[in-house]
Amino acid sequence: MSADEPVVSMRDVDIHFEDDGGLNPFAESKTVRAVDGVDLDIPENDVVAIVGESGSGKTTLGKAAVGLQRPSAGTVSFRGQDVWAAKKRFSNPTIPYSEIRRSLQIIHQDPGSSLNPHQTVESSLAAPLKKYQSELGPEDREARILAMLERVGMTPPHDYARRYPHQLSGGEKQRVALVRALLMNPDLILADEAVSALDVSLRVEVMDLMLDLQAQFDTSFLFISHDLSNARYLAEHAGGRLGVMYLGELVELGDADEVLRDPQHPYTKVLKWATPSLSLEEGAAEPPVREIDIPDPVDPPSGCRFHTRCPYATEHCRTEAPDRRSVGDGTHRASCFRIEEDGDYWHSEPLEGASLDADE
Ligand SMILES: Nc1ncnc2c1ncn2[C@@H]1O[C@H](COP(=O)(O)OP(=O)(O)OP(=O)(O)O)[C@@H](O)[C@H]1O
Ligand code: SF4
Ligand SMILES: [Mg+2]
């Protein structure tokens, strides 16, 4: 383990689910390729926002990053320690699994789900502190909880500490969930659709609070949203990165402002087109795709998975899968043959309805 080691490092991670059809004896067993070939490093004090359509594998990827979903292939490491190897009994890891668990926290979409309806806010917040910071006495524990409630704007904190979850609004529940995660003094917080269930007016408020807490505690954030405007707000304000998922693959990743200013993957352009505040050009009434329907992750398209919808797809894209390649200085990467100025793609026949210069 070295100090420069990323907090979390994912290497060539696949997560495939076997779906045996449940109780239906005639159903064929299927493999859902939720995540395929994902590489992602999250260093300290980093903010990464992941965006993509429903079912593109965002939640599965996020859970894998915080050690809650075991990869089918590839590795997930915490500061250089393989997370799943650390979990094995008698493994003698450099970082104990309990330490990894404490360091990787999650905030769910439904802020109520992490709160016991029969416990006051204070009891809910005290439980993990008792487990992971057992050296704290009851008074120190209470002081820490009250200080954090105040920190997230729940004042007077004594009043909120005594309340039950049903006595809190959605935004307040999400603040308690944030406090609960932060009390663990984590290195990384996964916020999975953490603002999606909130009223539009509250979303910015909770995102601003996350940004503020992130800056104050230097905690890294992996923020997941199906909504590019939320992902953009968070990533751009944090000076962080934006990642785009399509059918289980991380097809583009780079500094948020660069990815949005100069998207390299045609699918990122589709997301941008669909986000009114970011629309590419005036008057583009039709989405820049040949096909609206999203293919099934049980049987993803051959070659580049976006070829069935991509307006620039060629025969080459139908048979060959592009690697993630660097744009410019190397931190911005995307999986599309068009990034290379030369190559077989440019000499290949466009697919029906596609064109090499579709946007001209
Ligand atoms: N436990 C599971 N068993 C079988 N299939 C699963 C399981 N979890 C997820 N999937 C499938 O994996 C794919 C990716 O799901 P995931 O929840 O990661 O997508 P998502 O991008 O988070 O979607 P959403 O925006 O709707 O939350 C989907 O096809 C989903 O049905
Ligand atoms: S590799 Fe081909 S099909 Fe895939 S996104 Fe690029 S141009 Fe489109
Ligand atoms: Mg999800």
Side-chain angles (χ1 to χ4, degrees):
M1 178 178 73
S2 100
D4 305 331
E5 222 39 276
V7 173
V8 164
S9 184
M10 305 178 81
R11 281 288 165 277
D12 218 2
V13 167
D14 292 348
I15 302 166
H16 297 171
F17 296 110
E18 294 303 326
D19 180 354
D20 61 7
L23 296 175
N24 179 356
F26 303 108
E28 275 181 43
S29 169
K30 297 185 293 188
T31 303
V32 182
R33 300 160 78 102
V35 170
D36 255 332
V38 166
D39 286 328
L40 178 64
D41 279 349
I42 306 177
E44 258 181 90
N45 201 3
D46 187 27
V47 172
V48 184
I50 302 281
V51 72
E53 278 156 324
S54 180
S56 57
K58 304 180 296 297
T59 294
T60 310
L61 170 78
K63 282 171 141 178
V66 295
L68 294 174
Q69 172 65 56
R70 185 193 277 269
S72 325
T75 56
V76 179
S77 310
F78 173 77
R79 297 191 185 282
Q81 166 65 53
D82 185 296
V83 171
W84 294 91
K87 196 178 180 188
K88 277 196 197 127
R89 281 210 283 171
F90 315 118
S91 61
N92 199 17
T94 52
I95 307 173
Y97 184 68
S98 59
E99 169 68 8
I100 298 176
R101 271 278 39 86
R102 178 196 63 72
S103 304
L104 304 176
Q105 293 291 320
I106 179 167
I107 304 172
H108 296 276
Q109 170 164 12
D110 170 14
S113 66
S114 55
L115 300 174
N116 182 333
H118 307 296
Q119 281 190 344
T120 61
V121 166
E122 180 164 3
S123 314
S124 279
L125 294 175
L129 272 185
K130 281 183 194 162
K131 183 168 173 192
Y132 290 105
Q133 297 195 23
S134 50
E135 72 284 2
L136 290 180
E139 282 173 17
D140 285 342
R141 229 175 9 241
E142 186 185 8
R144 195 171 288 193
I145 289 168
L146 294 177
M148 277 304 289
L149 286 174
E150 191 154 22
R151 182 67 201 75
V152 299
M154 300 181 79
T155 51
H158 288 93
D159 171 32
Y160 280 103
R162 280 195 296 268
R163 292 200 198 177
Y164 287 87
H166 74 270
Q167 296 170 309
L168 300 172
S169 70
E172 286 166 349
K173 282 184 200 159
Q174 204 53 292
R175 279 164 206 263
V176 174
L178 257 172
V179 170
R180 193 181 152 99
L182 283 165
L183 280 171
M184 297 291 92
N185 202 13
D187 292 321
L188 173 67
I189 294 179
L190 164 65
D192 186 3
E193 304 283 3
V195 297
S196 306
L198 302 177
D199 286 348
V200 176
S201 57
L202 264 179
R203 280 184 204 161
V204 169
E205 211 176 294
V206 172
M207 284 193 286
D208 281 343
L209 178 63
M210 282 189 205
L211 288 163
D212 190 19
L213 295 170
Q214 192 280 324
Q216 192 185 332
F217 293 95
D218 289 345
T219 312
S220 295
F221 265 79
L222 180 57
F223 180 86
I224 286 177
S225 180
H226 64 275
D227 181 342
L228 180 57
S229 49
N230 290 339
R232 173 211 186 191
Y233 185 88
L234 201 97
E236 282 196 339
H237 281 80
R241 292 181 290 157
L242 186 68
V244 177
M245 284 203 83
Y246 183 73
L247 277 184
E249 295 180 335
L250 191 56
V251 295
E252 185 153 5
L253 179 69
D255 283 341
D257 49 1
E258 193 181 320
V259 169
L260 291 169
R261 184 171 35 81
D262 188 20
Q264 295 293 316
H265 198 282
Y267 177 63
T268 310
K269 295 182 188 172
V270 178
L271 291 181
K272 199 172 153 178
W273 175 89
T275 309
S277 57
L278 290 169
S279 280
L280 281 180
E281 62 256 344
E282 292 291 322
E286 299 294 323
V289 283
R290 290 167 27 245
E291 176 69 52
I292 298 290
D293 292 339
I294 308 167
D296 187 349
V298 170
D299 187 19
S302 59
C304 172
R305 289 187 181 178
F306 193 53
H307 87 255
T308 53
R309 302 169 76 195
C310 182
Y312 311 97
T314 67
E315 275 299 331
H316 188 64
C317 309
R318 198 170 57 77
T319 53
E320 303 295 324
D323 294 331
R324 241 187 329 146
R325 44 201 83 197
S326 296
V327 186
D329 68 358
T331 54
H332 181 185
R333 290 183 295 159
S335 310
C336 175
F337 292 122
R338 292 170 67 84
I339 292 169
E340 271 177 14
E341 280 176 12
D342 200 8
D344 292 344
Y345 165 84
W346 298 101
H347 309 287
S348 173
E349 198 58 33
L351 296 182
E352 195 182 337
S355 154
L356 294 185
D357 48 11
D359 49 356
E360 281 170 17

